Amino acid sequence: MHRPRILPALFLLLGLARPVLAATPPETLRIGVLAFGTLNWELATIQSEGLDQGRGVRLEPTPLASAEAGRIALQGGSVDMIVGDWIWVAQQRGQGADFSFAPYSTNHGALMVPAGSPIQGIADLKGKKLGIAGGGLDKNWLLLRALARQRDGLDLDRAVEKTFGAPPLLNQQLEQGKLDAVLNYWNPAAKLEAQGYRRVLDGHGLLKGLGVEVPVPALGYIFHERWAKAHPATLDAFLKMAAEAQRHLCESDAAWRRIVPLTQESDPKVQDALRRDYCAGRVVGFGPQEIRAAGEIYRRLGEVAGGATPAVGGTLPAGVFWTPPGP
């Protein structure tokens, strides 16, 4: 006679359980973000498009003053992830660190000159004033040096008058005539090109000149391998929502318009150039072929890096590129 009460009791039990499940807090992913970095575009798109809903992840952006500040923050444990290049990861792995890299973009930098410049190739840089984004171990600079040695027998490190600096400052100095050329990151280079400056060579051309035909991702998400193994669902969810954000920015004009203020550019030509080059850098495939190509690049960089600390070059350490655990 009391059996009918079982269903109401069961419904009551489920009703009590539902709030408990809903109250399970999402995992927080602390991600370091540069003020001028394109990661800002994706994080804003994730939020505006609701791509983080139901993922079980709460993104916590941490502003960074520079790429070096990001590395320090990651090493010190104040962030879980930054965007950077795999060459730094390889250097750190060679020193015993456990950083790993998940591909983000195939965009490299570019060598830019004024439209009327006599500089047509690397050999023409001899004796010129060259601005270089990043430091002496910037990947674009090392690649340019390697190609100059191979193609022209030129020691570019001695042949040019070098100025290392922040990307916006180098663009400004080129515009003021204080530099003959700049080797800058892809987004400042795109801005220059939209303003009429000429692209002599970009990262893809550098790689092809060195005999590497595979589009190896230059930038990626960097994190501790031990963190990734402890939070596989969080990492997987973030990588998926970031890829979706990239797709929205490249395929939806409305999504792009929403992040245009973050480019800090009012010129539509510059905005269009940024979107074009950003979308051209989307990673469409990554596997053993790209890893082998990265190994060849790393070996070649060692030929020009000299006594860098930590060392650059040689055999690419295992674990540089993140491999998700199998099912």
Side-chain angles (χ1 to χ4, degrees):
M1 292 181 62
H2 298 287
R3 285 180 184 173
R5 295 184 180 180
I6 293 177
L7 285 177
L10 181 59
F11 291 147
L12 177 62
L13 182 60
L14 291 174
L16 290 173
R18 198 173 294 123
V20 174
L21 293 173
T24 302
E27 288 201 44
T28 298
L29 172 57
R30 303 169 302 164
I31 183 164
V33 185
L34 290 171
F36 57 85
T38 55
L39 180 58
N40 288 293
W41 307 354
E42 290 165 17
L43 296 182
T45 302
I46 287 171
Q47 184 177 42
S48 65
E49 302 291 335
L51 302 179
D52 54 343
Q53 298 301 308
R55 301 277 193 178
V57 179
R58 185 178 73 86
L59 301 179
E60 185 179 288
T62 299
L64 300 172
S66 65
E68 183 60 27
R71 294 168 182 170
I72 293 171
L74 185 63
Q75 290 170 316
S78 58
V79 298
D80 302 312
M81 178 186 290
I82 60 172
V83 167
D85 65 78
W86 61 265
I87 294 170
W88 180 78
V89 174
Q91 287 179 282
Q92 296 299 313
R93 298 280 308 198
Q95 296 291 307
D98 76 331
F99 296 116
S100 199
F101 173 102
Y104 167 70
S105 173
T106 63
N107 278 324
H108 293 254
L111 178 64
M112 304 296 299
V113 298
S117 170
I119 298 173
Q120 300 295 325
I122 298 176
D124 298 326
L125 291 173
K126 187 175 181 179
K128 298 295 193 293
K129 297 177 181 178
L130 175 65
I132 304 161
L137 294 179
D138 175 75
K139 63 183 181 304
N140 296 311
W141 173 231
L142 292 178
L143 288 169
L144 189 67
R145 288 177 58 193
L147 185 56
R149 172 182 287 190
Q150 173 183 297
R151 180 181 290 175
D152 304 299
L154 183 65
D155 183 353
L156 208 58
D157 193 43
R158 296 184 178 182
V160 301
E161 186 178 329
K162 305 182 295 291
T163 296
F164 297 103
L169 179 59
L170 294 178
N171 275 11
Q172 191 176 74
Q173 290 181 327
L174 183 67
E175 292 164 1
Q176 294 170 348
K178 296 179 179 179
L179 295 172
D180 298 304
V182 297
L183 182 64
N184 218 330
Y185 300 145
W186 76 265
N187 37 346
K191 294 178 182 181
L192 285 174
E193 193 169 29
Q195 294 166 357
Y197 288 77
R198 179 163 51 84
R199 185 182 300 228
V200 177
L201 192 65
D202 61 18
H204 299 292
L206 285 173
L207 293 181
K208 286 185 177 181
L210 291 169
V212 178
E213 297 290 337
V214 179
V216 178
L219 298 172
Y221 305 104
I222 301 174
F223 40 82
H224 284 281
E225 183 178 344
R226 62 179 180 274
W227 174 86
K229 289 181 176 178
H231 305 274
T234 298
L235 177 58
D236 182 64
F238 172 75
L239 294 178
K240 286 179 178 176
M241 68 175 79
E244 289 178 19
Q246 284 188 331
R247 182 177 59 80
H248 277 272
L249 288 171
C250 295
E251 299 177 7
S252 167
D253 291 341
W256 173 256
R257 283 194 296 270
R258 279 192 282 272
I259 65 91
V260 160
L262 296 178
T263 69
Q264 301 181 26
E265 295 293 337
S266 57
D267 187 340
K269 290 183 179 179
V270 176
Q271 296 169 5
D272 290 345
L274 287 171
R275 188 184 189 188
R276 178 200 66 205
D277 287 3
Y278 168 79
C279 295
R282 292 171 67 187
V283 177
V284 296
F286 185 79
Q289 185 181 22
E290 286 76 16
I291 294 176
R292 285 194 297 271
E296 174 60 17
I297 294 169
Y298 197 63
R299 183 187 68 78
R300 298 295 295 274
L301 293 182
E303 297 173 0
V304 296
T309 304
V312 179
T315 301
L316 187 70
V320 168
F321 297 100
W322 170 249
T323 301

